Structures are given as C-alpha cells and as structure tokens.
Amino acid sequence: MKKLWHNGLFYTMESEGETVDSIITEDEQILKTGTYEALLSFLEGEQFEKINCNGKIGFPGFIDSHLHLIGHGEAMNRVDLSKCQSYDEMLDRMKSVVKDAHPNEWIVGEGWNENEWESKAVFSIDDLNSLSSTNPLVLKRTCRHVYFVNSIALSHATINEHMQVEGGQIGCFEDGRLNGLLYDEAVNLMIKAMPAPDDQYLSKAIISAIKDCYQYGIVGAVTEDLSYYGNANLVIDLYEQLLNEVPFHTHVLIHHTTLDEVKGRLHKGNKNVSFGGVKAFIDGSFGGRTALLEKPYDDDQSITGLQVTSPEKLEVITKKARENELPVAFHMIGDLAVKQAIEVVKKYPNQTQLPDRFIHCALLSPKLVEEMKELNIVVDVQTSFIYADYPWLVERIGQSRNEYAYLIKTLLNESIAIANGSDTPIDTINPWQGIYTAVTRKAKDQIAYNIEEAISLYEAIKLYTIDSAASFRQEDKRGLIKEGYSADFILFDENPFELEKDDLLDVKCSETICRGNIVYKRQM
C-alpha cells in the first residue's frame, strides 16, 4: 500500500536548502515528493496510509562509508574498556569479568586507549597472567591494531619471543621476554587462534549492530569483515539472509586473503549486499605509532611506523584485483602509506566502474593531494577521529605536519571525491560526532584544530548521504529524498540548520525509516 508521509520538512540534499513537506512511498521506494496538497491530488481515488510527521525535520538515511559491522556488534556484546581512565581500572574491569567466566573461556575486552588515561602505564603480561592462567585474555586497543594478551592466549597462538612477523611486531621487555603486546599483522595470529564463530554468534552480532545503527539514522554502510570470522562465504550468506529481516544495505569490501574464496559471487549482489574493493592494510595507526610516516615521529625519533603490507605485496594484490575487474581499498594513515598507494594504482590504473578506496588518508602533503586528483578514487575520511586524536596527535607528528592532518576542505576544493564514516568499533558509530567535528574541527578539549579545514553543515551531511552512496556508485538509488530512490529517511525533533554549531554534537535521531517502514522510534 502507498504511504503518504506529511507535515514534515524534508531536506532532499539534491541542492542546499531544497525541501519538500511530503513524501509518497510504495514498495520500498519513494514514489513522489512535493507539497501535501499536490500529493493528495496525485493519490485521489486510491487507498493509502497517511502518516503525520508532526513537524519533524527529515533527511535521507545516513550511510556510513567505512565501518566493521560485525565488529561493532561484537563490541556491543563484549567487555567495554573504552571508558577506563587508567591501566589499573582496565585490569579491574577484566578481573570482575574473569571471576564469573567458565573454565578455559576466551574473554575479550574492547576499546582501551592509553592516550586517554590519567597517567602513563607500563604494560606487563604478568598483570594479565595474575588475572587468569587458564582463561585466554585478549584486550583490543581502540584502533584494533594493538592487542594486549596473557600467556595462555599466546600459547594458543603459538607465539614466542623468537618469531618474526612480516608487517607486524611482537612486543618484548628489554630482557627479551614477551610483554603481551601484539602489533598489526601479529594481531592476526591471535585472531586465527581464537575459536571460530558460528552462524548463531555472527547473526547476533549483525542484528545487534544494525539495530544500533538504526538509532543513529544509519540505513547502510560500507563494511569490511570477511577475513576475521573463518568462513567468508558464511558472512556473505548471513548478510543476504538477515538483511531481509532487518532491512539494511551493506557494501562489502573483500580482504585480499579472501578473494579466491568469494570471487565467484562478487559481480552479483542484490538489494541487501553489493561488493567493493580488495582490501589491504598498508600501515597501522597514529595511536600505536604504527602509521607509516616519511619522517620519524616527533615523540619518538627512532621510528617511522610499521609497513604492514610491503610495496611488493601491494603490487601483487593490486594486479590480482585488476585481473578480477575489481578496485582496491587500502588502509593508509601516514603520508608514506598514501605515497605507496598512489604509486601502485598509477602502475595498475583502475578501469572498473567503482573507484579505488583510499581509506583514512589522515596525513597528506600538498604534493600527495595534487597526485590524487588524477586518480579514480574516493577518500574515506573519518572526521570523528579529530574528536579523540587531539591534543596528543600534535605531540606524535609535530605542529608543522599537523597542518596537513585530516584535510577535508582541501580535498573538496580540489574536487577529490570523499565520503565520511566512523570506522566503528574503532570510534563511535554516532554520525553527529563526525558532522560536528567536520563543521567545528573541535576535539574533546574544545579546541579547534586546523579550523581552515572546516566545512559547512550542508557539506558535512552530504558526506554521510549522497556522497557516501556515490562512493560505491549507488547515487542513483540512495542518499537523496527523490522519486525512484530507496525509501530511506530519518526524522529529527529539531532542525540542525537552526542550531548553534556546538550543539550539533547532541543531535539525536527521532525516527528511522528504512525501505518505507519505521525501524526505530526514540522513546521520550
């Protein structure tokens, strides 16, 4: 049956300030938009359901351009370490969980961030071993590029102090003994050792994540999660099945280690699932000092970061992607990582319909930006990182390099395609943190960093709607309130365009409509 949504103010996002007050939906699509009177006339003589939006403000449903959907669901069901203010508090939090655990049960904590702690800490495997010698403990840093684990966990992964890991590092004390810290590719050794999740576990994580997305107005996402759960085809099967029950669209990136496993189905897709670039990590993160820099870190002149995937291997991955008529999707934080990505995609140009994805690009030089203009790419930015990464980021990379951190306005001015996402569970799923920081450039300390890179509110919302849809070439069916588009829109009690910029951080979604049905309504 047709539905007439009326008495609203819907920003179509086709152009700045363009609005309609009513929408007709039918069969999961927007049939027509316009004035209430015109749409009533259009529906004359037909049966339809009338839905009063009570003066609420509407936007197209948000699309997160980069996250890990299953990882977000997992984090919601695991030990939350993100609010710990010290190393000791983190240990106490784990201790309270261990005492109720079953024998030999793996216990996973999520989200610790030593940059947020009140004092510096010395990580010691002995502290985790004192909590349990039988339960493997795995504590994931917020960036997920660093794990802190106990000895029984290392034993399961057969990790020892004599091992060398290409693209990773195994932490040791000065005497050579393991300290429990694992970096980047060494993390994958632990992932492989952990019990493989079954379909029930994965289903719970997917549904939990999507229902949480709904309350933030998110109706679709670009996700990367095929390499972490054993059977990549099982993950795809569950997406195709469950997203009929909980409507959502996933654009799935293909980790290069799973390409052979899933390539037979990559050019198919449906309304629930589409497929994107071949994913690889070039470097790590600023927080773990593993982002790959052209010059040493300011706060540790002995290191320039970690080469997770060598240039030679990047070339192999890119060539294979092109042979399969696929783009690439490279994680790159530091400027040297971006340089390497540019070099390899120049050598193997992208002739596919989809753009290559340059994910993060947190540190850019003018020369890199100039070279990026010539490429068939979209840059996945995470403006929400600004909120948590300052002020410590200035200490990491220095004031002069900081001028080129998290460039947004520059990329827009140079007509380089960008889209915004959260990288959840690395950071908050809330799009309004990303919108707020894109507009104000303010971090938690309320200081604005690189204010000249601030963009308008209209531009910031575009990055979560039509620009995000365009990043996987579905701008003809998602990201606008327009006839023929998916009936995905969200309602707010207040108009973000009428708020003070500092109040954007507190904006909350009132209702989420996905494929023409209300999937979330905030309880007052």
Side-chain angles (χ1 to χ4, degrees):
M1 179 184 287
K2 294 182 178 70
K3 298 176 183 178
L4 173 59
W5 308 77
H6 69 101
N7 190 21
L9 180 67
F10 299 95
Y11 286 88
T12 68
M13 298 306 294
E14 276 206 86
S15 62
E16 188 166 4
E18 180 179 295
T19 61
V20 296
D21 63 37
S22 299
I23 302 170
I24 298 173
T25 63
E26 182 183 33
D27 296 332
E28 302 187 353
Q29 285 191 311
I30 296 173
L31 182 63
K32 202 166 183 62
T33 68
T35 66
Y36 177 59
E37 293 77 10
L39 296 192
L40 270 181
S41 177
F42 176 83
L43 291 168
E44 187 175 357
E46 295 193 54
Q47 284 191 331
F48 63 92
E49 180 182 357
K50 191 185 292 188
I51 301 170
N52 189 339
C53 295
N54 297 307
K56 289 183 169 65
I57 309 302
F59 289 94
F62 289 150
I63 302 167
D64 191 308
S65 77
H66 182 72
L67 52 66
H68 307 271
L69 195 65
I70 295 177
H72 180 50
E74 284 186 297
M76 294 173 65
N77 297 313
R78 285 179 169 173
V79 185
D80 183 7
L81 304 176
S82 64
K83 296 178 177 61
C84 294
Q85 296 297 305
S86 68
Y87 179 76
D88 289 340
E89 184 181 346
M90 178 179 74
L91 294 177
D92 287 343
R93 180 78 181 93
M94 292 301 297
K95 182 178 181 180
S96 67
V97 177
V98 169
K99 65 182 179 63
D100 296 323
H102 300 297
N104 305 314
E105 177 186 354
W106 286 71
I107 303 173
V108 181
E110 297 269 359
W112 58 268
N113 184 356
E114 79 283 10
N115 294 313
E116 300 291 326
W117 292 347
E118 297 163 349
S119 58
K120 290 187 177 181
V122 177
F123 286 76
S124 173
I125 196 170
D126 299 329
D127 295 325
L128 289 188
N129 289 341
S130 69
L131 298 183
S132 179
S133 59
T134 57
N135 295 102
L137 305 181
V138 179
L139 284 62
K140 301 182 181 182
R141 192 184 185 279
T142 181
C143 64
R144 287 196 169 189
H145 288 266
V146 185
Y147 283 12
F148 183 38
V149 303
N150 64 352
S151 292
I152 187 67
L154 290 173
S155 176
H156 277 285
T158 62
I159 293 173
N160 62 63
E161 62 270 30
H162 305 297
M163 294 177 65
Q164 297 292 320
V165 182
E166 182 182 356
Q169 183 178 335
I170 298 170
C172 293
F173 294 116
E174 290 185 2
D175 63 5
R177 193 166 56 92
L178 295 175
N179 65 12
L181 290 169
L182 304 174
Y183 300 86
D184 286 287
E185 284 300 301
V187 160
N188 288 330
L189 299 177
M190 186 57 58
I191 291 173
K192 291 174 183 176
M194 297 171 71
D198 58 19
D199 56 353
Q200 184 176 3
Y201 174 93
L202 293 173
S203 296
K204 180 181 178 182
I206 291 169
I207 292 172
S208 296
I210 291 174
K211 288 185 175 180
D212 195 50
C213 284
Y214 286 160
Q215 65 176 311
Y216 294 103
I218 299 169
V219 297
V222 180
T223 184
E224 194 269 299
D225 39 25
L226 294 190
S227 67
Y228 310 111
Y229 305 104
N231 185 340
N233 278 299
L234 173 61
V235 174
I236 295 173
D237 289 342
L238 289 173
Y239 276 146
E240 292 181 343
Q241 170 195 329
L242 294 173
L243 272 54
N244 282 317
E245 303 169 19
V246 279
F248 197 82
H249 182 82
T250 53
H251 184 71
V252 180
L253 302 183
I254 313 302
H255 194 278
H256 69 92
T257 59
T258 67
L259 178 55
D260 288 336
E261 185 180 353
V262 302
K263 66 182 181 181
R265 60 199 303 180
L266 296 186
H267 296 288
K268 298 174 184 177
N270 56 32
K271 69 178 181 180
N272 297 330
V273 184
S274 58
F275 297 100
V278 178
K279 174 75 182 289
F281 289 81
I282 299 179
D283 64 351
S285 68
F286 281 138
R289 292 187 187 85
T290 54
L292 198 59
L293 306 182
E294 294 212 60
K295 296 180 180 179
Y297 281 82
D298 267 48
D299 60 354
D300 189 339
Q301 291 288 312
S302 69
I303 57 173
T304 57
L306 189 62
Q307 184 85 52
V308 176
T309 304
S310 69
E312 295 77 18
K313 192 169 183 180
L314 279 179
E315 186 168 332
V316 172
I317 292 167
T318 304
K319 185 178 179 182
K320 187 171 182 178
R322 302 308 193 223
E323 289 170 352
N324 285 275
E325 300 180 342
L326 292 169
V328 293
F330 290 152
H331 166 113
M332 57 193 88
I333 296 284
D335 51 358
L336 181 54
V338 178
K339 180 182 178 182
Q340 292 175 356
I342 291 172
E343 288 172 352
V344 75
V345 300
K346 274 187 173 181
K347 186 170 184 178
Y348 298 95
N350 180 9
Q351 306 295 334
T352 71
Q353 181 185 4
L354 292 171
D356 290 326
R357 302 188 83 89
F358 277 27
I359 301 168
H360 308 309
C361 292
L363 185 62
L364 296 169
S365 66
K367 185 176 185 295
L368 292 174
V369 172
E370 191 65 26
E371 291 186 76
M372 289 163 66
K373 289 164 60 176
E374 308 303 319
L375 305 176
N376 178 13
I377 63 171
V378 61
V379 179
D380 277 326
V381 299
Q382 288 74 39
T383 56
S384 63
F385 284 6
I386 295 168
Y387 192 73
D389 282 7
Y390 288 100
W392 60 261
L393 181 59
V394 180
E395 299 173 7
R396 285 278 195 281
I397 61 176
Q399 188 59 56
S400 60
R401 277 189 294 194
N402 181 58
E403 294 177 10
Y404 303 107
Y406 297 120
L407 301 185
I408 306 298
K409 188 68 171 177
T410 294
L411 295 176
L412 288 177
N413 287 345
E414 296 295 344
S415 299
I416 296 172
I418 62 176
N420 210 348
S422 64
D423 204 14
T424 192
I426 310 307
D427 206 342
T428 176
I429 189 72
N430 184 3
W432 287 99
Q433 179 169 303
I435 293 170
Y436 164 82
T437 48
V439 170
T440 67
R441 301 289 298 195
K442 286 186 178 180
K444 273 198 246 186
D445 59 7
Q446 287 299 293
I447 295 174
Y449 294 86
N450 300 349
I451 189 63
E452 65 278 1
E453 289 295 320
I455 60 176
S456 72
L457 179 56
Y458 172 70
E459 290 171 319
I461 294 174
K462 271 191 81 215
L463 293 182
Y464 274 103
T465 52
I466 187 61
D467 289 346
S468 193
S471 78
F472 53 97
R473 294 293 183 261
Q474 292 200 11
E475 66 270 34
D476 61 340
K477 63 182 70 175
R478 306 180 195 283
L480 296 177
I481 294 178
K482 183 177 180 179
E483 295 173 16
Y485 278 60
S486 183
D488 302 330
F489 47 96
I490 47 182
L491 300 176
F492 298 89
D493 292 323
E494 50 196 351
N495 189 336
F497 287 111
E498 296 177 356
L499 296 175
E500 296 294 328
K501 291 180 181 179
D502 284 343
D503 293 332
L504 293 173
L505 193 58
D506 299 319
V507 172
K508 289 183 171 56
C509 178
S510 174
E511 294 181 40
T512 301
I513 294 87
C514 188
R515 299 180 189 170
N517 293 305
I518 298 172
V519 294
Y520 167 76
K521 184 174 286 192
R522 181 159 56 93
Q523 300 300 312
M524 302 301 290

